[in-house]
């Protein structure tokens, strides 16, 4: 068999490689085309990880790196979720292993502690990019796969989020990889190996172990596979049950080891988030939020291209997965952008399909040939579309990744360096809870205190964080009656103005200030983050 020629990566190339299932026998990491794609994605995601310098969601630090730091170094803060047993240790253990390696080679210094977790995630992200390319090849062709990678790498939200150490980021990667192996997703299920579905099930089970809500995706795919497969009993009895039991059983053993007792995390997670609506404590949105705001903002200017690609390609199984996921998540009161991250690459693949058709062969001509004028018009149209998407997404990606809400990362990076020099004795955070990274960034076992926001069973009761925001001066005055005076206080400028007298009374002066944001998000504008220390200290 002749080896397929390398893909011409020019975005204005109008040649089309037709789908041929036989060519995909070489569709592995050693194939020159895929090797080049992976190397490109790996380099891009490394740079991506280094450029992400802003704070997005507390879970990136508090539910992954903070837990990993405690596992590896014996100190760190475990939030209330770990006391309730609604989080699995499977995801943090990955980064705990990384920390152990850094410590073994005496590289657990500020720069490495801050950057290497995202660099590790960038490797996972590059694998996800590669499998999205392969999935696009399988469903469409090489040309669509090329434009899908363009969409994946330039979409602002994917750049902003995928290299962060959120469990949603790894869930997204596992989702793409698993989808590639599912027979029900392929155009021709007979062209795949016998073990493909087993791989798909194992990876899907792993995604569910890391994030139980991933089951929303796999219920849809599992039912679709059950409907389309001929060997239904074999699928359920000899594949789903044994593989699911094996993967989840191994997860239970990891949690048994880490918790010190048997904990059924998926059951506890279901009870808290679905049966008792515990997630609503952190805010709720209208039912249509994902359709009108959340997912549309994530897809951004790719949205019309994705919609056009969905209707033109008629790949209803994958477009149905997007609709299913958005609909099910819409039933929950608490909504976040990252929850639907796993279906964003699929939407971007449909954008890639539409871009590929803009400059593709003119199907009105039976021979697929085009006149020079038609070729020029379609080529110009494609170039305008690519330029529009790049210009609208790249500045947004850079701004959100490098500018917006960077102060809380910068302040902890600064304090980490000061602690490494022995200049930090204790820190008090007069900020909303979980507003900054914690020990995983500081990496120094000094006393730190933040304002608690554990969900209260008493409805309407204000936690410490809320009490502080209602009356910063009054709360600080009461708090100081029983405190051990810290060496440093961290606070936002919006509360700083109300605490000037308090800070002066206790002999604190500003030593450092960091820009944070140009506009407000959830609360009032938090333009900067200030660090105060006691005079003469």
């Amino acid at each position: 068999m002749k080896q397929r020629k390398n893909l011409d990566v020019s975005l204005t190339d109008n040649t089309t490689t037709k789908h041929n299932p036989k060519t995909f026998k070489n569709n592995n990491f050693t194939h020159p085309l895929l090797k080049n794609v992976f190397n490109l994605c790996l380099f891009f995601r490394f740079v991506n990880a280094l450029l992400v310098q802003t704070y997005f969601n507390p879970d990136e630090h508090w539910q992954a790196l903070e837990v990993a730091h405690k596992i590896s170094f014996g100190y760190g803060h475990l939030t209330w979720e770990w006391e309730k047993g609604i989080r699995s240790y499977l995801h943090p253990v990955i980064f705990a292993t990384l920390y152990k390696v850094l410590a073994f080679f005496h590289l657990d210094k500020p720069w490495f502690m801050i950057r290497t977790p995202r660099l590790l995630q960038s490797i996972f992200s590059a694998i996800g990019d590669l499998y999205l390319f392969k999935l696009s090849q399988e469903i469409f062709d090489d040309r669509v796969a090329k434009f899908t990678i363009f969409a994946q790498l330039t979409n602002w939200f994917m750049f902003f989020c995928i290299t962060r150490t959120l469990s949603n980021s790894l869930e997204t990667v596992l989702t793409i990889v698993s989808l590639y192996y599912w027979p029900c997703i392929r155009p021709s299920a007979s062209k795949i190996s016998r073990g493909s579905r087993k791989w798909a099930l194992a990876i899907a089970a792993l995604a569910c172990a890391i994030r139980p809500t991933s089951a929303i995706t796999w219920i849809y795919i599992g039912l679709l596979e059950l409907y389309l497969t001929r060997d239904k009993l074999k699928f359920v009895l000899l594949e789903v049950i044994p593989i699911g039991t094996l993967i989840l059983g191994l997860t239970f053993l990891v949690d048994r080891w880490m918790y010190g007792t048997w904990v059924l995390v998926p059951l506890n997670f279901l009870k808290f988030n679905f049966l008792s609506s515990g997630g609503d404590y952190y805010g709720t949105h209208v039912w249509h939020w994902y359709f009108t705001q959340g997912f549309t903002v994530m897809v951004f200017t790719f949205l019309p291209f994705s919609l056009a690609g969905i209707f033109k390609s008629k790949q209803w199984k994958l477009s149905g997965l997007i609709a299913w996921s958005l609909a099910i998540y819409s039933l929950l009161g608490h909504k976040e952008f990252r929850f639907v991250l796993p279906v964003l690459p699929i939407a971007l693949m449909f954008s890639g399909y539409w871009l590929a058709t803009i400059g593709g062969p003119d199907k009105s001509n039976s021979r697929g040939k085009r006149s020079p004028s038609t070729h020029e018009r379609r080529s110009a149209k494609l170039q305008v579309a690519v330029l529009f998407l790049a210009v609208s997404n790249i500045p947004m990606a850079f701004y959100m990744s490098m500018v917006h809400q960077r102060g809380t990362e910068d302040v902890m990076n600064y304090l980490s360096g000061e602690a490494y020099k022995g200049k930090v004795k204790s820190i008090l955070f007069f900020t909303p809870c979980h507003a900054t990274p914690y020990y995983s960034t500081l990496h120094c076992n000094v006393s730190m205190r933040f304002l608690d926001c554990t969900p209260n069973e008493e409805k309407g009761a204000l936690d410490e964080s809320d009490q502080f925001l209602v009356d910063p001066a009054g709360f600080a005055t009461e708090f100081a009656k029983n405190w051990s005076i810290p060496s440093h206080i961290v606070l936002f400028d919006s509360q700083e103005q109300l605490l000037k007298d308090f800070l002066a009374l206790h002999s604190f002066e500003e030593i450092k200030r960091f820009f944070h944001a140009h506009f407000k998000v959830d609360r009032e504008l938090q333009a900067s983050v200030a660090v105060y220390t006691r005079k003469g200290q």
Side-chain angles (χ1 to χ4, degrees):
M1 182 188 298
K2 292 182 179 180
Q3 192 177 49
R4 186 171 48 200
K5 294 181 180 179
N6 283 353
L7 177 67
D8 180 359
V9 297
S10 170
L11 289 177
T12 57
D13 174 30
N14 293 319
T15 59
T16 301
T17 304
K18 294 184 178 180
H19 177 79
N20 181 0
K22 293 182 181 179
T23 65
F24 297 110
K25 290 181 180 179
N26 290 325
N27 207 355
N28 55 56
F29 283 103
T30 61
H31 191 279
L33 170 62
L34 296 182
K35 188 175 181 180
N36 290 339
V37 170
F38 180 68
N39 288 338
L40 168 66
C41 293
L42 185 61
F43 174 76
F44 184 89
R45 292 305 179 196
F46 271 175
V47 175
N48 186 173
L50 293 173
L51 291 178
V52 172
Q53 300 169 32
T54 55
Y55 198 78
F56 171 40
N57 186 280
D59 282 12
E60 177 185 4
H61 298 283
W62 292 83
Q63 304 298 351
L65 302 185
E66 192 65 22
V67 182
H69 192 278
K70 185 172 179 62
I71 295 171
S72 300
F73 301 105
Y75 63 97
H77 183 84
L78 297 184
T79 61
W80 63 270
E81 289 97 329
W82 300 91
E83 296 178 5
K84 298 282 187 180
I86 66 173
R87 297 279 185 178
S88 174
Y89 275 95
L90 192 61
H91 185 236
V93 161
I94 296 171
F95 299 103
T97 304
L98 172 65
Y99 286 152
K100 285 289 188 182
V101 172
L102 291 178
F104 180 80
F105 289 103
H106 304 289
L107 293 175
D108 53 326
K109 306 295 189 293
W111 192 94
F112 289 97
M113 293 297 295
I114 292 166
R115 294 298 179 196
T116 53
R118 284 178 180 165
L119 289 173
L120 176 60
Q121 177 58 37
S122 71
I123 298 174
F124 301 145
S125 303
I127 293 172
D129 296 335
L130 174 66
Y131 270 87
L132 183 63
F133 182 90
K134 295 174 68 174
L135 182 64
S136 303
Q137 281 184 319
E138 288 291 344
I139 297 175
F140 301 112
D141 55 36
D142 282 355
R143 182 177 175 80
V144 174
K146 174 181 64 175
F147 283 102
T148 296
I149 281 296
F150 163 76
Q152 175 82 346
L153 298 185
T154 56
N155 173 259
W156 82 270
F157 193 85
M158 194 59 68
F159 186 94
F160 173 68
C161 191
I162 197 63
T163 60
R164 295 181 184 273
T165 54
L166 291 159
S167 59
N168 309 87
S169 300
L170 185 55
E171 176 197 8
T172 300
V173 172
L174 294 173
T175 298
I176 298 169
V177 175
S178 182
L179 286 174
Y180 172 78
Y181 289 108
W182 279 97
C184 64
I185 297 300
R186 302 289 189 99
S188 177
S190 62
K191 301 297 182 181
I192 63 176
S193 65
R194 292 182 180 181
S196 179
R197 191 165 66 186
K198 294 182 177 66
W199 276 110
L201 280 165
I203 298 167
L206 185 60
C208 292
I210 289 173
R211 275 199 69 81
T213 50
S214 189
I216 292 172
T217 297
W218 304 118
I219 287 172
Y220 173 92
I221 296 296
L223 291 175
L224 183 62
E225 179 70 23
L226 185 64
Y227 174 74
L228 294 175
T229 189
R230 294 180 180 179
D231 49 351
K232 291 178 171 54
L233 285 178
K234 176 186 175 183
F235 173 58
V236 175
L237 299 179
L238 299 182
E239 295 181 13
V240 174
I241 294 177
I243 294 174
T245 301
L246 176 63
I247 299 297
L248 294 179
L250 291 174
T251 305
F252 292 155
L253 289 176
V254 171
D255 288 330
R256 170 66 178 83
W257 174 43
M258 299 307 302
Y259 275 108
T261 185
W262 289 107
V263 177
L264 300 180
V265 171
L267 180 60
N268 295 337
F269 188 92
L270 177 67
K271 286 180 179 179
F272 179 81
N273 287 286
F274 291 89
L275 302 182
S276 65
S277 299
D280 293 357
Y281 180 82
Y282 294 104
T284 59
H285 297 79
V286 292
W287 70 268
H288 54 76
W289 184 80
Y290 284 118
F291 294 97
T292 58
Q293 298 178 58
F295 196 63
T296 54
V297 168
M298 294 165 64
V299 184
F300 201 43
T301 52
F302 283 95
L303 181 60
F305 299 88
S306 294
L307 292 174
I310 287 171
F311 288 105
K312 187 173 180 64
S313 69
K314 296 180 173 59
Q315 289 289 334
W316 305 120
K317 289 182 287 188
L318 280 175
S319 57
L321 174 59
I322 298 174
W324 163 268
S325 297
L326 296 181
I328 297 300
Y329 276 110
S330 293
L331 298 177
L332 304 177
H334 181 59
K335 300 175 177 66
E336 294 185 32
F337 293 103
R338 61 192 178 95
F339 291 169
V340 294
L341 182 64
V343 293
L344 178 57
I346 303 171
L348 296 175
M349 182 173 68
F350 284 115
S351 290
Y353 176 83
W354 179 252
L355 289 171
T357 63
I358 292 177
D362 185 358
K363 295 185 179 180
S364 62
N365 187 322
S366 60
R367 295 183 180 180
K369 296 181 180 180
R370 293 171 291 176
S371 65
S373 61
T374 301
H375 174 91
E376 291 175 2
R377 286 197 303 272
R378 294 173 73 87
S379 179
K381 185 178 179 181
L382 174 61
Q383 289 176 353
V384 169
V386 168
L387 181 62
F388 165 71
L389 290 169
V391 168
S392 58
N393 278 269
I394 293 174
M396 179 80 157
F398 282 151
Y399 179 79
M400 296 300 292
S401 300
M402 301 181 68
V403 180
H404 180 61
Q405 295 191 149
R406 68 169 297 148
T408 50
E409 294 272 347
D410 287 341
V411 71
M412 289 306 294
N413 295 350
Y414 163 74
L415 289 172
S416 175
E418 292 295 288
Y420 186 70
K421 300 172 187 176
K423 296 181 179 181
V424 177
K425 304 302 178 184
S426 59
I427 307 172
L428 172 63
F429 295 86
F430 269 153
T431 65
C433 67
H434 307 139
T436 69
Y438 214 49
Y439 282 109
S440 58
T441 295
L442 190 75
H443 192 49
C444 184
N445 195 7
V446 300
S447 174
M448 293 202 290
R449 174 74 157 85
F450 69 95
L451 304 182
D452 184 59
C453 59
T454 301
N456 199 315
E457 295 182 1
E458 183 182 343
K459 194 171 184 179
L462 297 179
D463 55 41
E464 281 188 346
S465 183
D466 290 330
Q467 292 173 37
F468 172 74
L469 293 175
V470 170
D471 181 14
F475 180 90
T477 300
E478 286 297 316
F479 187 87
K481 291 179 180 179
N482 298 304
W483 73 352
S484 176
I485 299 180
S487 65
H488 293 73
I489 293 179
V490 176
L491 69 168
F492 287 110
D493 64 310
S494 49
Q495 282 77 48
E496 177 190 19
Q497 302 305 318
L498 302 173
L499 292 174
K500 284 290 187 183
D501 293 339
F502 172 85
L503 294 168
L505 177 65
H506 293 278
S507 303
F508 280 91
E509 62 181 352
E510 179 186 333
I511 58 166
K512 200 75 174 177
R513 183 175 296 272
F514 300 91
F515 164 80
H516 186 60
H518 288 117
F519 56 89
K520 65 180 182 179
V521 181
D522 296 322
R523 300 180 176 90
E524 70 277 9
L525 173 63
Q526 297 168 332
S528 62
V529 185
V531 182
Y532 279 73
T533 188
R534 300 200 75 193
K535 294 178 183 178
Q537 186 168 269

